Amino acid sequence: MHRLLHRALVTASTLLVSMMLPAPPGHASQTAPSDDACHTVNTNVPRGDCGSFRQTFAENFNGDTVPLGAFSDCDHQAGQPDAFCDGLRGKYRADWWAYPTGWSDTAASGADGNDGRSVGGRYHPEDTVSVGPAADGDGRMRIRMWRPPDGGPVHAAAIVPKAAMHQAYGKFSARLRVTHATPGYKSAWLHHGDGCEIDYPEQNWTDTLAAFHHPCNGEEQDAFPTEARWTAWHTVSLEWTPEAVRFYLDGRLIGLSTDGVPTQPLTWVLQNESALDGPYAAPGSSAELQITWVTVYAYEGAR
């Protein structure tokens, strides 16, 4: 469930966000004016349908407080649409799930073929995930990963909006920022299963955002790097239709892939974990990602 294929490190030579590397035939490489009908680039969560996409879930975290410890006892119907964390209450219990405490992250499990890194992580939603207002009052989900001072495994977090579980096609958008970047921590928000995988956004938090599509037909992955730093606010949006997978960053198209597009239902996982390359997380270190809104859409087809 939490497999992730190994990626090469995106280097400082990555092209600007407004440009794309040359792509093989059949893949769009140019930036175009956004077709992202809900390309909101501020703290206001988009409301309503977006072209061919019908909104099924929108969360701005405003007015809510979910303390550390609430995302606990999550090993109930794990991976299924009726999964739940028994420590949550109200709408958060109904709307959110997390990988249960103790599951190995990708680096620790070697699930991507890396044979297991010397420093990996375990998912611990109970001591990494909380919700509350920022200093300016804006509601945020906070994901603070950390490594114990004694050098134990990284405490990681993979959060799942239940509205995006077992869904074929759709639109998946969020606004996020790494507020404290430290070597050894990363995100790989993904859909995957049966040899198919879509990853966006992905990369180490000290590097730049990138998008990847691993075609279901086993063809070579499509990679769309940017020079957008995790430490700035960004709106990320993935559009998955029967014809293509499109990646948007701050309302701009950064990549389009048409080979081996998944046709089966997959689950959107906001996966945050220990790095698969580069420096290990140091004992006693921590890093934090904040999310100001998340929204999910079902694909309704052309109108």
Side-chain angles (χ1 to χ4, degrees):
M1 168 172 268
H2 41 285
R3 180 184 60 83
L4 178 64
L5 299 180
H6 181 64
R7 313 288 185 266
L9 181 65
V10 174
T11 68
S13 62
T14 302
L15 295 181
L16 294 174
V17 172
S18 60
M19 302 176 64
M20 293 303 304
L21 293 174
H27 302 277
S29 61
Q30 74 280 7
T31 295
S34 179
D35 294 322
D36 182 1
C38 51
H39 61 278
T40 303
V41 291
N42 56 39
T43 60
N44 299 316
V45 62
R47 297 289 185 182
D49 298 345
C50 295
S52 300
F53 299 94
R54 175 177 52 84
Q55 191 171 50
T56 59
F57 177 71
E59 177 58 71
N60 63 8
F61 307 110
N62 288 341
D64 300 326
T65 299
V66 180
L68 283 176
F71 270 88
S72 61
D73 195 11
C74 297
D75 200 7
H76 298 277
Q77 309 299 324
Q80 301 305 311
D82 57 349
F84 66 94
C85 297
D86 202 34
L88 291 174
R89 296 292 180 265
K91 71 173 185 175
Y92 280 89
R93 184 185 176 112
D95 293 343
W96 294 89
W97 180 64
Y99 281 3
T101 299
W103 281 16
S104 297
D105 77 358
T106 307
S109 68
D112 66 337
N114 64 37
D115 296 325
R117 292 257 281 173
S118 297
V119 176
R122 299 278 180 176
Y123 292 112
H124 283 274
E126 79 287 352
D127 60 21
T128 55
V129 183
S130 62
V131 175
D136 63 0
D138 179 48
R140 311 270 177 83
M141 174 177 276
R142 291 177 172 83
I143 297 173
R144 179 183 176 273
M145 297 190 289
W146 54 283
R147 189 178 179 203
D150 65 5
V154 167
H155 285 220
I159 311 303
V160 180
K162 291 167 65 173
M165 296 181 80
H166 295 209
Q167 176 177 325
Y169 313 122
K171 181 179 181 68
F172 311 87
S173 304
R175 186 159 177 82
L176 55 87
R177 176 192 171 201
V178 170
T179 55
H180 180 59
T182 306
Y185 300 89
K186 70 167 292 184
S187 286
W189 292 15
L190 77 162
H191 298 77
H192 86 86
D194 299 328
C196 311
E197 185 164 341
I198 308 169
D199 304 286
Y200 183 59
E202 180 177 4
Q203 258 307 346
N204 294 345
W205 286 357
T206 51
D207 296 321
T208 53
L209 284 77
F212 299 88
H213 176 222
H214 299 266
C216 301
N217 57 16
E219 296 293 329
E220 184 177 354
Q221 73 172 14
D222 289 334
F224 304 102
T226 78
E227 280 194 350
R229 307 298 304 189
W230 287 90
T231 48
W233 281 107
H234 293 293
T235 297
V236 296
S237 192
L238 162 68
E239 292 184 355
W240 167 25
T241 67
E243 297 79 23
V245 178
R246 293 175 174 85
F247 303 97
Y248 294 92
L249 177 66
D250 298 327
R252 300 285 291 178
L253 181 69
I254 64 166
L256 181 151
S257 184
T258 58
D259 285 346
V261 174
T263 60
Q264 69 271 47
L266 301 172
T267 295
W268 188 31
V269 182
L270 315 187
Q271 180 176 264
N272 312 280
E273 56 185 10
S274 59
L276 291 176
D277 51 34
Y280 293 123
S285 68
S286 66
E288 183 170 316
L289 172 76
Q290 295 187 8
I291 308 168
T292 189
W293 54 258
V294 174
T295 183
V296 177
Y297 305 79
Y299 178 62
E300 296 293 304
R303 293 180 178 177

Short mmCIF file of all heavy atoms in Angstrom, two decimals, residues 54-59 80-83 91-97 159-172 191 266-269 294-299:
data_model
loop_
_atom_site.label_atom_id
_atom_site.label_comp_id
_atom_site.label_asym_id
_atom_site.label_seq_id
_atom_site.Cartn_x
_atom_site.Cartn_y
_atom_site.Cartn_z
N ARG A 54 -16.61 17.44 -10.60
CA ARG A 54 -17.62 17.75 -9.59
C ARG A 54 -17.00 17.65 -8.19
O ARG A 54 -16.48 16.61 -7.81
CB ARG A 54 -18.80 16.78 -9.72
CG ARG A 54 -19.86 16.93 -8.63
CD ARG A 54 -21.04 15.99 -8.88
NE ARG A 54 -20.60 14.61 -9.06
CZ ARG A 54 -20.35 13.75 -8.06
NH1 ARG A 54 -20.47 14.15 -6.80
NH2 ARG A 54 -19.99 12.51 -8.33
N GLN A 55 -17.07 18.74 -7.45
CA GLN A 55 -16.44 18.76 -6.12
C GLN A 55 -17.19 17.84 -5.16
O GLN A 55 -18.41 17.89 -5.04
CB GLN A 55 -16.43 20.18 -5.57
CG GLN A 55 -15.57 20.33 -4.32
CD GLN A 55 -15.39 21.78 -3.92
OE1 GLN A 55 -16.36 22.54 -3.82
NE2 GLN A 55 -14.15 22.19 -3.68
N THR A 56 -16.43 16.97 -4.50
CA THR A 56 -17.00 16.03 -3.54
C THR A 56 -16.51 16.27 -2.12
O THR A 56 -17.08 15.73 -1.17
CB THR A 56 -16.66 14.59 -3.94
OG1 THR A 56 -15.24 14.42 -3.99
CG2 THR A 56 -17.26 14.25 -5.31
N PHE A 57 -15.46 17.07 -1.96
CA PHE A 57 -14.89 17.30 -0.63
C PHE A 57 -14.08 18.58 -0.65
O PHE A 57 -13.33 18.83 -1.61
CB PHE A 57 -14.00 16.12 -0.23
CG PHE A 57 -13.30 16.30 1.10
CD1 PHE A 57 -14.01 16.25 2.28
CD2 PHE A 57 -11.92 16.49 1.16
CE1 PHE A 57 -13.37 16.42 3.50
CE2 PHE A 57 -11.27 16.64 2.37
CZ PHE A 57 -12.00 16.60 3.56
N ALA A 58 -14.22 19.39 0.38
CA ALA A 58 -13.41 20.61 0.53
C ALA A 58 -13.20 20.87 2.00
O ALA A 58 -14.17 20.91 2.78
CB ALA A 58 -14.11 21.80 -0.14
N GLU A 59 -11.94 21.03 2.40
CA GLU A 59 -11.60 21.28 3.80
C GLU A 59 -10.60 22.42 3.87
O GLU A 59 -9.54 22.37 3.25
CB GLU A 59 -11.01 20.02 4.43
CG GLU A 59 -10.56 20.21 5.87
CD GLU A 59 -11.71 20.68 6.77
OE1 GLU A 59 -12.62 19.87 7.04
OE2 GLU A 59 -11.67 21.85 7.19
N GLN A 80 -9.56 0.76 3.54
CA GLN A 80 -10.90 0.67 2.97
C GLN A 80 -11.65 2.00 3.14
O GLN A 80 -11.30 2.80 4.01
CB GLN A 80 -11.69 -0.46 3.63
CG GLN A 80 -11.03 -1.83 3.49
CD GLN A 80 -10.76 -2.18 2.03
OE1 GLN A 80 -11.65 -2.06 1.18
NE2 GLN A 80 -9.55 -2.60 1.73
N PRO A 81 -12.67 2.24 2.34
CA PRO A 81 -13.41 3.50 2.45
C PRO A 81 -14.01 3.75 3.83
O PRO A 81 -14.26 4.91 4.20
CB PRO A 81 -14.49 3.37 1.38
CG PRO A 81 -13.89 2.46 0.35
CD PRO A 81 -13.10 1.46 1.16
N ASP A 82 -14.24 2.69 4.61
CA ASP A 82 -14.79 2.88 5.95
C ASP A 82 -13.71 2.85 7.02
O ASP A 82 -14.01 2.69 8.22
CB ASP A 82 -15.87 1.84 6.24
CG ASP A 82 -15.37 0.40 6.11
OD1 ASP A 82 -14.25 0.20 5.59
OD2 ASP A 82 -16.11 -0.52 6.50
N ALA A 83 -12.44 3.01 6.63
CA ALA A 83 -11.35 3.07 7.60
C ALA A 83 -11.55 4.27 8.53
O ALA A 83 -12.14 5.28 8.14
CB ALA A 83 -10.02 3.19 6.87
N LYS A 91 -16.36 15.46 12.33
CA LYS A 91 -16.12 15.40 10.90
C LYS A 91 -14.74 14.87 10.57
O LYS A 91 -14.55 14.28 9.49
CB LYS A 91 -16.32 16.78 10.26
CG LYS A 91 -15.26 17.82 10.59
CD LYS A 91 -15.49 19.07 9.76
CE LYS A 91 -14.39 20.10 9.96
NZ LYS A 91 -14.53 21.27 9.08
N TYR A 92 -13.77 15.05 11.45
CA TYR A 92 -12.43 14.53 11.14
C TYR A 92 -12.42 13.01 11.19
O TYR A 92 -11.73 12.37 10.39
CB TYR A 92 -11.38 15.14 12.07
CG TYR A 92 -11.00 16.53 11.61
CD1 TYR A 92 -11.70 17.64 12.04
CD2 TYR A 92 -9.98 16.72 10.68
CE1 TYR A 92 -11.40 18.91 11.57
CE2 TYR A 92 -9.66 17.98 10.21
CZ TYR A 92 -10.37 19.07 10.65
OH TYR A 92 -10.07 20.32 10.17
N ARG A 93 -13.16 12.43 12.08
CA ARG A 93 -13.30 10.97 12.09
C ARG A 93 -13.99 10.49 10.81
O ARG A 93 -13.63 9.46 10.23
CB ARG A 93 -14.08 10.52 13.31
CG ARG A 93 -14.21 9.00 13.46
CD ARG A 93 -15.11 8.69 14.65
NE ARG A 93 -15.35 7.27 14.80
CZ ARG A 93 -14.90 6.52 15.80
NH1 ARG A 93 -14.12 7.06 16.73
NH2 ARG A 93 -15.19 5.24 15.88
N ALA A 94 -14.99 11.25 10.36
CA ALA A 94 -15.74 10.87 9.16
C ALA A 94 -14.94 11.10 7.88
O ALA A 94 -15.10 10.36 6.92
CB ALA A 94 -17.05 11.66 9.10
N ASP A 95 -14.09 12.12 7.88
CA ASP A 95 -13.46 12.57 6.63
C ASP A 95 -12.02 12.14 6.43
O ASP A 95 -11.52 12.18 5.30
CB ASP A 95 -13.50 14.10 6.54
CG ASP A 95 -14.91 14.64 6.40
OD1 ASP A 95 -15.82 13.86 6.05
OD2 ASP A 95 -15.11 15.85 6.65
N TRP A 96 -11.31 11.74 7.50
CA TRP A 96 -9.88 11.51 7.40
C TRP A 96 -9.48 10.17 7.99
O TRP A 96 -10.07 9.68 8.95
CB TRP A 96 -9.10 12.62 8.13
CG TRP A 96 -9.26 13.96 7.49
CD1 TRP A 96 -10.22 14.90 7.76
CD2 TRP A 96 -8.44 14.51 6.45
NE1 TRP A 96 -10.04 16.00 6.95
CE2 TRP A 96 -8.98 15.80 6.14
CE3 TRP A 96 -7.31 14.05 5.76
CZ2 TRP A 96 -8.40 16.60 5.16
CZ3 TRP A 96 -6.75 14.87 4.79
CH2 TRP A 96 -7.30 16.12 4.50
N TRP A 97 -8.44 9.61 7.41
CA TRP A 97 -7.80 8.40 7.93
C TRP A 97 -6.30 8.61 7.82
O TRP A 97 -5.83 9.54 7.13
CB TRP A 97 -8.24 7.16 7.14
CG TRP A 97 -7.63 5.88 7.61
CD1 TRP A 97 -7.79 5.27 8.81
CD2 TRP A 97 -6.72 5.05 6.86
NE1 TRP A 97 -7.05 4.11 8.87
CE2 TRP A 97 -6.38 3.95 7.68
CE3 TRP A 97 -6.17 5.13 5.57
CZ2 TRP A 97 -5.52 2.94 7.27
CZ3 TRP A 97 -5.31 4.12 5.16
CH2 TRP A 97 -4.99 3.04 6.00
N ILE A 159 -1.46 10.75 5.41
CA ILE A 159 -2.83 11.13 5.72
C ILE A 159 -3.70 10.91 4.48
O ILE A 159 -3.27 11.18 3.35
CB ILE A 159 -2.90 12.61 6.15
CG1 ILE A 159 -1.84 12.90 7.22
CG2 ILE A 159 -4.29 12.96 6.66
CD1 ILE A 159 -1.95 12.04 8.45
N VAL A 160 -4.92 10.46 4.69
CA VAL A 160 -5.80 10.10 3.56
C VAL A 160 -7.15 10.80 3.71
O VAL A 160 -7.88 10.53 4.67
CB VAL A 160 -6.01 8.58 3.49
CG1 VAL A 160 -6.92 8.23 2.32
CG2 VAL A 160 -4.68 7.85 3.39
N PRO A 161 -7.50 11.69 2.77
CA PRO A 161 -8.88 12.20 2.73
C PRO A 161 -9.80 11.09 2.22
O PRO A 161 -9.65 10.62 1.09
CB PRO A 161 -8.82 13.39 1.76
CG PRO A 161 -7.58 13.18 0.95
CD PRO A 161 -6.66 12.30 1.73
N LYS A 162 -10.73 10.65 3.03
CA LYS A 162 -11.52 9.47 2.69
C LYS A 162 -12.38 9.65 1.45
O LYS A 162 -12.74 8.68 0.78
CB LYS A 162 -12.36 9.06 3.90
CG LYS A 162 -11.50 8.52 5.04
CD LYS A 162 -12.25 8.41 6.35
CE LYS A 162 -13.36 7.41 6.30
NZ LYS A 162 -13.98 7.21 7.65
N ALA A 163 -12.67 10.90 1.10
CA ALA A 163 -13.43 11.15 -0.12
C ALA A 163 -12.65 10.76 -1.36
O ALA A 163 -13.25 10.59 -2.44
CB ALA A 163 -13.80 12.64 -0.21
N ALA A 164 -11.33 10.60 -1.23
CA ALA A 164 -10.48 10.24 -2.38
C ALA A 164 -9.99 8.81 -2.30
O ALA A 164 -9.00 8.45 -2.94
CB ALA A 164 -9.30 11.20 -2.47
N MET A 165 -10.67 7.97 -1.54
CA MET A 165 -10.29 6.57 -1.45
C MET A 165 -11.01 5.77 -2.54
O MET A 165 -12.20 5.96 -2.79
CB MET A 165 -10.62 5.99 -0.08
CG MET A 165 -9.83 6.62 1.06
SD MET A 165 -10.19 5.90 2.68
CE MET A 165 -9.17 4.41 2.62
N HIS A 166 -10.26 4.88 -3.21
CA HIS A 166 -10.80 3.96 -4.21
C HIS A 166 -11.61 4.73 -5.27
O HIS A 166 -12.76 4.39 -5.56
CB HIS A 166 -11.67 2.89 -3.54
CG HIS A 166 -10.89 1.99 -2.63
ND1 HIS A 166 -11.26 0.69 -2.39
CD2 HIS A 166 -9.77 2.18 -1.90
CE1 HIS A 166 -10.39 0.13 -1.56
NE2 HIS A 166 -9.48 1.03 -1.24
N GLN A 167 -10.99 5.73 -5.85
CA GLN A 167 -11.64 6.57 -6.85
C GLN A 167 -10.89 6.48 -8.18
O GLN A 167 -9.68 6.62 -8.22
CB GLN A 167 -11.67 8.03 -6.37
CG GLN A 167 -12.25 8.99 -7.39
CD GLN A 167 -12.33 10.41 -6.86
OE1 GLN A 167 -12.58 10.62 -5.68
NE2 GLN A 167 -12.14 11.39 -7.73
N ALA A 168 -11.61 6.26 -9.25
CA ALA A 168 -11.03 6.28 -10.59
C ALA A 168 -11.29 7.65 -11.22
O ALA A 168 -12.46 8.08 -11.31
CB ALA A 168 -11.63 5.19 -11.46
N TYR A 169 -10.24 8.30 -11.63
CA TYR A 169 -10.27 9.63 -12.26
C TYR A 169 -10.68 10.69 -11.22
O TYR A 169 -11.21 10.39 -10.16
CB TYR A 169 -11.18 9.67 -13.47
CG TYR A 169 -10.97 8.52 -14.43
CD1 TYR A 169 -12.02 7.66 -14.76
CD2 TYR A 169 -9.70 8.29 -14.98
CE1 TYR A 169 -11.82 6.60 -15.64
CE2 TYR A 169 -9.50 7.23 -15.86
CZ TYR A 169 -10.56 6.38 -16.18
OH TYR A 169 -10.37 5.33 -17.03
N GLY A 170 -10.39 11.92 -11.56
CA GLY A 170 -10.76 13.00 -10.67
C GLY A 170 -9.73 14.12 -10.66
O GLY A 170 -8.76 14.13 -11.43
N LYS A 171 -9.96 15.03 -9.76
CA LYS A 171 -9.08 16.19 -9.57
C LYS A 171 -8.77 16.27 -8.09
O LYS A 171 -9.66 16.13 -7.25
CB LYS A 171 -9.80 17.45 -10.06
CG LYS A 171 -8.99 18.73 -9.96
CD LYS A 171 -9.84 19.89 -10.50
CE LYS A 171 -9.08 21.20 -10.44
NZ LYS A 171 -7.96 21.20 -11.40
N PHE A 172 -7.50 16.53 -7.77
CA PHE A 172 -7.03 16.49 -6.40
C PHE A 172 -6.12 17.69 -6.18
O PHE A 172 -5.06 17.80 -6.82
CB PHE A 172 -6.29 15.18 -6.15
CG PHE A 172 -7.05 13.96 -6.61
CD1 PHE A 172 -6.94 13.50 -7.92
CD2 PHE A 172 -7.92 13.31 -5.76
CE1 PHE A 172 -7.66 12.41 -8.36
CE2 PHE A 172 -8.66 12.21 -6.19
CZ PHE A 172 -8.52 11.75 -7.50
N HIS A 191 -0.98 8.33 -5.90
CA HIS A 191 -1.97 7.31 -6.23
C HIS A 191 -1.18 6.13 -6.78
O HIS A 191 -0.34 6.32 -7.66
CB HIS A 191 -2.93 7.77 -7.33
CG HIS A 191 -3.77 8.96 -6.99
ND1 HIS A 191 -3.29 10.25 -6.99
CD2 HIS A 191 -5.10 9.05 -6.67
CE1 HIS A 191 -4.26 11.09 -6.68
NE2 HIS A 191 -5.37 10.39 -6.48
N LEU A 266 -8.03 4.13 -7.45
CA LEU A 266 -6.84 4.27 -6.64
C LEU A 266 -7.16 5.20 -5.47
O LEU A 266 -8.19 5.89 -5.48
CB LEU A 266 -5.67 4.82 -7.46
CG LEU A 266 -5.25 4.00 -8.69
CD1 LEU A 266 -4.21 4.76 -9.51
CD2 LEU A 266 -4.72 2.63 -8.28
N THR A 267 -6.28 5.25 -4.49
CA THR A 267 -6.48 6.09 -3.31
C THR A 267 -5.42 7.18 -3.26
O THR A 267 -4.23 6.91 -3.47
CB THR A 267 -6.41 5.24 -2.02
OG1 THR A 267 -7.52 4.33 -2.01
CG2 THR A 267 -6.49 6.12 -0.77
N TRP A 268 -5.85 8.40 -2.99
CA TRP A 268 -4.93 9.54 -2.85
C TRP A 268 -4.39 9.55 -1.43
O TRP A 268 -5.14 9.65 -0.46
CB TRP A 268 -5.67 10.84 -3.13
CG TRP A 268 -4.79 12.06 -3.21
CD1 TRP A 268 -3.50 12.12 -3.64
CD2 TRP A 268 -5.17 13.41 -2.90
NE1 TRP A 268 -3.04 13.43 -3.61
CE2 TRP A 268 -4.05 14.24 -3.17
CE3 TRP A 268 -6.34 14.00 -2.44
CZ2 TRP A 268 -4.07 15.62 -2.96
CZ3 TRP A 268 -6.37 15.37 -2.25
CH2 TRP A 268 -5.26 16.17 -2.50
N VAL A 269 -3.07 9.42 -1.31
CA VAL A 269 -2.39 9.39 -0.02
C VAL A 269 -1.47 10.59 0.09
O VAL A 269 -0.57 10.76 -0.74
CB VAL A 269 -1.59 8.09 0.16
CG1 VAL A 269 -0.94 8.06 1.55
CG2 VAL A 269 -2.48 6.87 -0.04
N VAL A 294 -7.56 21.48 1.30
CA VAL A 294 -7.54 20.28 0.45
C VAL A 294 -8.91 20.14 -0.19
O VAL A 294 -9.93 20.37 0.47
CB VAL A 294 -7.23 19.01 1.28
CG1 VAL A 294 -7.35 17.76 0.42
CG2 VAL A 294 -5.85 19.08 1.91
N THR A 295 -8.94 19.77 -1.46
CA THR A 295 -10.23 19.55 -2.11
C THR A 295 -10.14 18.40 -3.11
O THR A 295 -9.08 18.15 -3.69
CB THR A 295 -10.75 20.84 -2.80
OG1 THR A 295 -12.03 20.60 -3.36
CG2 THR A 295 -9.81 21.31 -3.88
N VAL A 296 -11.24 17.68 -3.28
CA VAL A 296 -11.32 16.49 -4.13
C VAL A 296 -12.52 16.63 -5.06
O VAL A 296 -13.58 17.14 -4.67
CB VAL A 296 -11.48 15.21 -3.26
CG1 VAL A 296 -11.63 13.97 -4.14
CG2 VAL A 296 -10.31 15.06 -2.30
N TYR A 297 -12.35 16.15 -6.30
CA TYR A 297 -13.40 16.21 -7.30
C TYR A 297 -13.52 14.85 -8.00
O TYR A 297 -12.53 14.16 -8.20
CB TYR A 297 -13.10 17.25 -8.37
CG TYR A 297 -12.84 18.64 -7.86
CD1 TYR A 297 -11.59 18.97 -7.32
CD2 TYR A 297 -13.83 19.62 -7.92
CE1 TYR A 297 -11.35 20.25 -6.85
CE2 TYR A 297 -13.59 20.91 -7.45
CZ TYR A 297 -12.34 21.22 -6.92
OH TYR A 297 -12.09 22.48 -6.45
N ALA A 298 -14.74 14.52 -8.40
CA ALA A 298 -14.99 13.36 -9.26
C ALA A 298 -15.03 13.84 -10.71
O ALA A 298 -15.45 14.96 -11.00
CB ALA A 298 -16.31 12.70 -8.88
N TYR A 299 -14.59 12.97 -11.63
CA TYR A 299 -14.60 13.31 -13.04
C TYR A 299 -15.97 13.01 -13.63
O TYR A 299 -16.47 11.89 -13.54
CB TYR A 299 -13.52 12.51 -13.76
CG TYR A 299 -13.46 12.75 -15.25
CD1 TYR A 299 -13.17 14.01 -15.76
CD2 TYR A 299 -13.71 11.70 -16.14
CE1 TYR A 299 -13.12 14.23 -17.13
CE2 TYR A 299 -13.64 11.91 -17.51
CZ TYR A 299 -13.36 13.17 -18.00
OH TYR A 299 -13.30 13.39 -19.35
#
